[in-house]
Amino acid sequence: MVVLLAIALGACTQRNQDMQDQMAVDAIMHNYEGKVPGASVLVVRDGMKLIHRAYGLADLESNTAATPATNYRLASVTKQFTAAAILLLAEDSRLRLDDPIRHWLPSLPGTDDAITIRHLLTHQGGLIDYEDIMPGSTIGESVPADLAQQLRDIDVLHLLERERRVYFAPGSAYRYSNGGYSMLALIVERASGKSFQSFLHERIFRPLGMSHTLAYVRDGPVVTNRAYGYTEISGVWRRTDQSLTSAVLGDGGVYSSIDDLARWDEALYDNRLLSDASRRLAFTPWTKTDDAQVDYGFGWRITGETLWHSGETIGFRNVIVRYPKQHLTVIILTNRNNPEPYPMALAIARHFMRR
């Protein structure tokens, strides 16, 4: 009888704790509730989902609610998958991290001779920002989803082929480069003989059971449970789901959900996907960034206690924050232009750190 009472009391205490946790997260995410662009939130510790919730709408026009299975465009959170693809090819001896990028992309100009794959992974290549030299309308302008003029990774290469300058000598400085990760996607294709989206599917998403995650292209599989992006303009939410750069894959083209990202997060603790050596490379603070408190690895921002990355593109703001020593991760995916969810993720993490 005493044992049964202790079990019952323990279960009651756990339910109370779960309710307090949920209320704390709900308070942080309250602006995403209702008939507004939404969010999906995951808190996982020691492989257990402590928070697994969604708020608001994935599609305002159809009044479709966001769920934990909703797939958002990850924007620059994609870069960790691009980096993982490069590391897998290095494990396969299909490329070397210190290969000059012109070995794989020989149409680039001679001014890029000294840039290596490692430089691109750490944003130390000095490539000119393709967003600043692309033709067309204002950067970030919303465009129809089927716009034929959207840039692809190969178009970024063609833009960079015409440049005869770099920002700095490779390896001498840091400058965040979407174009560098676009070039990495092309290197994945040339080293593997597969399309970038196929390589990610075959070597990362399918092995990890991330069955609804994909690098989205118009002529490929559709995004199921898709969230559409929005921007608040004069107090009204307007769909701003695509821009001229939305079809560039290597720097930001992956769609995923918190359900699938939970599998990705867990795989980063062991060698089920990447070897111990590859994960050490990814999580090494190779360079200082423009934030004195943050270093950069291979597709990851690194602080003293966290591995994290945000993703910002028109209509979407996302973040993943991992605390490896505590085996704690917070992921927030949103389908609105503002605000950035990084401060909210830190506030959620602080709540669970106090427990």
Side-chain angles (χ1 to χ4, degrees):
M1 184 69 178
V2 173
V3 173
L4 292 175
L5 181 58
I7 293 173
L9 288 173
C12 182
T13 299
Q14 185 60 54
R15 284 195 299 270
N16 289 338
Q17 182 63 68
D18 292 345
M19 184 174 297
Q20 291 175 21
D21 291 343
Q22 181 175 307
M23 291 173 61
V25 174
D26 287 350
I28 293 169
M29 301 300 300
H30 71 278
N31 287 335
Y32 293 82
E33 295 179 334
K35 304 298 184 181
V36 294
S40 298
V41 181
L42 174 73
V43 180
V44 59
R45 181 160 56 194
D46 296 323
M48 181 178 297
K49 294 175 181 177
L50 305 179
I51 297 293
H52 181 241
R53 291 176 60 74
Y55 305 83
L57 300 178
D59 183 341
L60 270 61
E61 287 74 22
S62 66
N63 201 40
T64 302
T67 74
T70 296
N71 290 300
Y72 300 75
R73 182 146 49 90
L74 296 184
S76 287
V77 176
T78 294
K79 289 182 172 67
Q80 58 203 250
F81 296 108
T82 304
I86 290 289
L87 288 167
L88 286 170
L89 287 166
E91 289 181 14
D92 295 343
S93 298
R94 303 296 294 269
L95 55 73
R96 296 178 303 114
L97 298 182
D98 293 313
D99 282 344
I101 62 172
R102 291 191 72 228
H103 172 78
W104 297 102
L105 305 171
S107 62
L108 286 170
T111 47
D112 298 341
D113 273 346
I115 303 174
T116 67
I117 291 174
R118 189 187 301 268
H119 289 144
L120 296 188
L121 287 166
T122 57
H123 301 289
Q124 293 181 290
L127 288 176
I128 300 301
D129 292 334
Y130 76 87
E131 299 97 332
D132 291 345
I133 58 175
M134 67 184 187
S137 58
T138 303
I139 298 170
E141 180 181 342
S142 177
V143 297
D146 61 352
L147 184 72
Q149 288 75 29
Q150 278 187 301
L151 295 178
R152 297 285 296 271
D153 296 276
I154 191 65
D155 299 312
V156 176
L157 173 62
H158 294 329
L159 288 172
L160 294 176
E161 287 169 352
R162 299 196 290 267
E163 289 297 312
R164 296 295 183 272
R165 58 193 174 111
V166 291
Y167 289 120
F168 47 77
S172 67
Y174 166 92
R175 183 184 174 110
Y176 191 82
S177 175
N178 285 317
Y181 269 75
S182 178
M183 295 303 95
L184 289 172
L186 294 178
I187 291 171
V188 168
E189 293 187 338
R190 298 190 181 186
S192 69
K194 302 177 184 293
S195 70
F196 181 66
Q197 57 268 31
S198 294
F199 186 87
L200 292 185
H201 174 72
E202 293 175 14
R203 294 296 302 276
I204 298 178
F205 303 148
R206 187 170 63 192
L208 296 183
M210 300 172 68
S211 55
H212 299 292
T213 298
L214 75 164
Y216 174 64
V217 293
R218 285 187 301 159
D219 53 352
V222 300
V223 179
T224 59
N225 302 317
R226 180 175 176 176
Y228 290 90
Y230 296 89
T231 299
E232 189 174 18
I233 302 173
S234 300
V236 178
W237 290 107
R238 305 290 187 186
R239 182 177 286 195
T240 55
D241 185 71
Q242 294 282 298
S243 74
L244 292 176
T245 63
S246 294
V248 180
L249 297 182
D251 62 355
V254 168
Y255 277 76
S256 192
S257 66
I258 59 170
D259 281 345
D260 275 6
L261 290 175
R263 297 179 173 89
W264 168 245
D265 173 67
E266 192 60 28
L268 295 175
Y269 286 106
D270 57 40
N271 61 3
R272 73 187 72 178
L273 181 73
L274 292 170
S275 68
D276 292 344
S278 288
R279 284 182 286 110
R280 281 195 298 271
L281 286 169
F283 302 149
T284 293
W286 293 104
T287 180
K288 294 292 183 183
T289 70
D290 43 18
D291 182 335
Q293 297 181 328
V294 179
D295 296 323
Y296 206 90
F298 290 175
W300 289 95
R301 299 185 189 278
I302 301 170
T303 71
E305 60 177 351
T306 65
L307 302 167
W308 69 280
H309 213 290
S310 57
E312 295 88 28
T313 188
I314 190 165
F316 296 90
R317 293 289 185 272
N318 313 301
V319 73
I320 175 172
V321 185
R322 305 181 69 241
Y323 295 79
K325 293 179 181 178
Q326 289 79 25
H327 219 289
L328 174 72
T329 297
V330 180
I331 301 173
I332 303 177
L333 307 179
T334 81
N335 59 325
R336 58 172 68 179
N337 232 32
N338 280 303
E340 294 183 8
Y342 182 54
M344 293 182 287
L346 295 182
I348 291 171
R350 284 194 295 269
H351 168 79
F352 286 92
M353 294 287 192
R354 289 193 295 266
R355 282 184 42 181

